[in-house]
Amino acid sequence: MKPLSFFLVFLLAATANSQTYNPAAHTDPVNLTPEVHDAFEHFYALDYEGALSRFEAVQLTHPQSAIAIGNVLLTIVFRELYRQDLLDTTYYAHDSFLTSRRNVPVPQSVRDRIESLTNSAVALTDQQINANPNDANAYFARGYARGLHAAFITLCDHSYVAAARQGLASRNDSEATLKIDPQYDDAKMAMGIQQFAVASLPRLVRMLVGIAGVGGNKEKGLDLLRESAAHGIVTPIESRTALSLFLRHDGRYAEAIVVQKGLADQYPHDYLFRLEVANLTKDSGNGPGAIALYRAILADAQNPTYFVEPRLHMAYFGLADTQRGQNQIADAAQNYLRAAAQPTCSDWIRRRAQLNAGEMFDLLHRRDEATKQYELASAGGGDQSQSDAAHRYLKTPYVGK
């Protein structure tokens, strides 16, 4: 009976501990307010303007909350990344984006505000940490702001050295947060991202960006993201998004689709979540399934109230790529053209679409139409690799697939 009695005591103690867990004790209280919840509902519908006005109102009423500054920073960074087509995850599915020569023309006013918000969050948290070295909220908010700034300069400026240092500082802040409060699960996101990212970099690259000696472990990174996704208050959605991206990076499509479909089901009006399910389905090798998903997204977009400012060129481009893989060459050509014709299309994607449309027309032996698209693709914008390919095919028709 003694082992059974011991087990019952242990079970009762575990139950009691789970019942006394209070999420408010492991986050800035502002994160639990209805106003912040409402702002995030707009954010995850990609209503960045609606989210921004709400987060700014929260910041005004909570001037000593650094995470309130961080939420404004989050919205401005992601709004700009969306406008620049830098939230298209196909760009990051492979490591080629690290060597991309793509120019990202971010308005100076946006850059200035991102820098100002980052500096404000760091300055405020520095003061709070100096006043109370055990302020877990301050450490987390500082790491959160640094992580967002690192993402911005990585994706927009390709400033890998500065971003690596910012990312490492964010990880250190997260470790400090968890040292103070081991149940502060939001802090595990930055650590998970850093663990996976560092483990994915070649040793030479780690040395070049100045983080030699910093360890990384992919599975540990994924586990940390799962924990922050399951128990965090601020970072669950971002953690699941990063988890899906990293699983995709490693070709674990079935796992990534489960994560991403969960996000899309939770936020069906988030255009990017829906699009990513289609992208993952395409990359998993299920071409017909992906085509159906892209078409469903485009059909929903015909209702002007379903998505907020959907950048339809991303869906048309994904659809065209999938049709190309299914040898539906004529349909692919038309959808590349539709992608390039969208008014919101960035120059970078427009040139890619024009180049690919030209290749499809060459395969269809419609040389005049192919030449026209190559001329457009080589006219400027995009990255130099597209221009180089377009000039090459102006001389010699494309004959591959």
Side-chain angles (χ1 to χ4, degrees):
M1 291 296 291
K2 287 184 179 180
L4 178 59
S5 299
F6 178 80
F7 175 75
L8 289 173
V9 170
F10 176 81
L11 182 62
L12 288 171
T15 303
N17 287 336
S18 67
Q19 290 173 344
T20 58
Y21 176 78
N22 179 11
H26 310 289
T27 191
D28 188 317
V30 73
N31 295 323
L32 303 175
T33 63
E35 293 81 5
V36 168
H37 176 77
D38 180 49
F40 271 114
E41 288 297 307
H42 285 266
F43 182 85
Y44 293 120
L46 304 191
D47 177 14
Y48 293 122
E49 302 307 322
L52 182 59
S53 65
R54 287 163 173 80
F55 280 133
E56 287 174 333
V58 171
Q59 183 190 358
L60 285 174
T61 56
H62 298 82
Q64 294 304 306
S65 172
I67 197 62
I69 300 173
N71 287 333
V72 175
L73 177 62
L74 168 78
T75 309
I76 291 174
V77 167
F78 273 77
R79 180 182 66 178
E80 190 59 28
L81 294 178
Y82 187 54
R83 289 177 176 173
Q84 298 289 348
D85 287 334
L86 286 168
L87 295 181
D88 177 4
T89 57
T90 57
Y91 186 47
Y92 312 110
H94 307 287
D95 294 332
S96 57
F97 81 93
L98 293 169
T99 57
S100 171
R101 290 172 285 175
R102 176 180 179 182
N103 176 49
V104 182
V106 177
Q108 189 60 45
S109 60
V110 174
R111 290 185 177 278
D112 290 344
R113 188 152 191 217
I114 289 172
E115 294 297 325
S116 176
L117 286 165
T118 303
N119 292 338
S120 295
V122 171
L124 177 58
T125 51
D126 283 348
Q127 293 174 9
Q128 293 170 342
I129 291 167
N130 287 336
N132 177 12
N134 291 317
D135 190 339
N137 289 332
Y139 276 108
F140 173 74
R142 188 171 70 180
Y144 191 67
R146 285 171 165 170
L148 288 168
H149 189 263
F152 173 74
I153 62 177
T154 296
L155 303 182
C156 291
D157 300 333
H158 300 148
S159 298
Y160 300 123
V161 174
R165 291 171 181 166
Q166 284 266 43
L168 181 58
S170 177
R171 171 177 169 171
N172 290 340
D173 281 337
S174 297
E175 289 177 338
T177 304
L178 287 165
K179 185 176 181 180
I180 297 166
D181 180 0
Q183 290 183 295
Y184 208 118
D185 289 299
D186 283 314
K188 295 175 181 177
M189 182 183 75
M191 294 173 61
I193 290 173
Q194 187 78 1
Q195 283 277 353
F196 189 95
V198 170
S200 300
L201 291 173
R203 181 174 177 272
L204 177 60
V205 175
R206 291 203 301 271
M207 294 175 63
L208 289 174
V209 299
I211 57 172
V214 177
N217 182 292
K218 286 187 177 184
E219 288 304 319
K220 184 176 181 179
L222 295 176
D223 286 341
L224 286 165
L225 287 171
R226 291 185 183 101
E227 290 177 32
S228 57
H231 305 297
I233 295 167
V234 178
T235 62
I237 306 304
E238 286 85 353
S239 294
R240 288 157 67 189
T241 302
L243 180 61
S244 174
L245 174 62
F246 291 161
L247 289 169
R248 179 185 186 178
H249 179 276
D250 278 9
R252 295 163 64 171
Y253 299 114
E255 296 172 75
I257 288 171
V258 170
V259 175
Q260 195 62 44
K261 191 172 186 307
L263 289 168
D265 289 345
Q266 184 175 352
Y267 296 100
H269 298 286
D270 187 312
Y271 175 73
L272 287 173
F273 288 162
R274 291 275 305 279
L275 186 67
E276 182 63 359
V277 176
N279 289 339
L280 285 165
T281 302
K282 168 177 66 73
D283 288 354
S284 72
N286 181 3
I291 289 171
L293 289 169
Y294 286 121
R295 286 177 171 161
I297 294 167
L298 292 166
D300 283 337
Q302 296 304 305
N303 178 351
T305 64
Y306 197 89
F307 296 119
V308 178
E309 297 184 16
R311 299 179 71 79
L312 296 183
H313 54 276
M314 298 164 75
Y316 279 121
F317 193 97
L319 175 58
D321 265 359
T322 313
Q323 291 169 328
R324 178 178 188 164
Q326 296 293 300
N327 207 34
Q328 299 173 16
I329 304 302
D331 288 340
Q334 293 307 311
N335 282 313
Y336 283 130
L337 292 179
R338 291 186 180 102
Q342 297 304 306
T344 58
C345 189
S346 63
D347 281 344
W348 180 70
I349 287 187
R350 181 173 289 111
R351 301 304 182 229
R352 288 173 64 199
Q354 290 163 341
L355 175 65
N356 289 359
E359 292 171 348
M360 297 302 96
F361 285 128
D362 261 341
L363 293 179
L364 294 167
H365 305 292
R366 293 157 63 174
R367 183 60 180 166
D368 288 346
E369 292 170 271
T371 299
K372 178 182 177 181
Q373 295 305 312
Y374 295 143
E375 289 173 345
L376 290 169
S378 63
D383 63 36
Q384 192 60 39
S385 62
Q386 294 158 5
S387 180
D388 291 347
H391 281 111
R392 186 165 64 252
Y393 295 140
L394 280 169
K395 299 177 180 177
T396 305
Y398 176 77
V399 294
K401 185 182 176 181

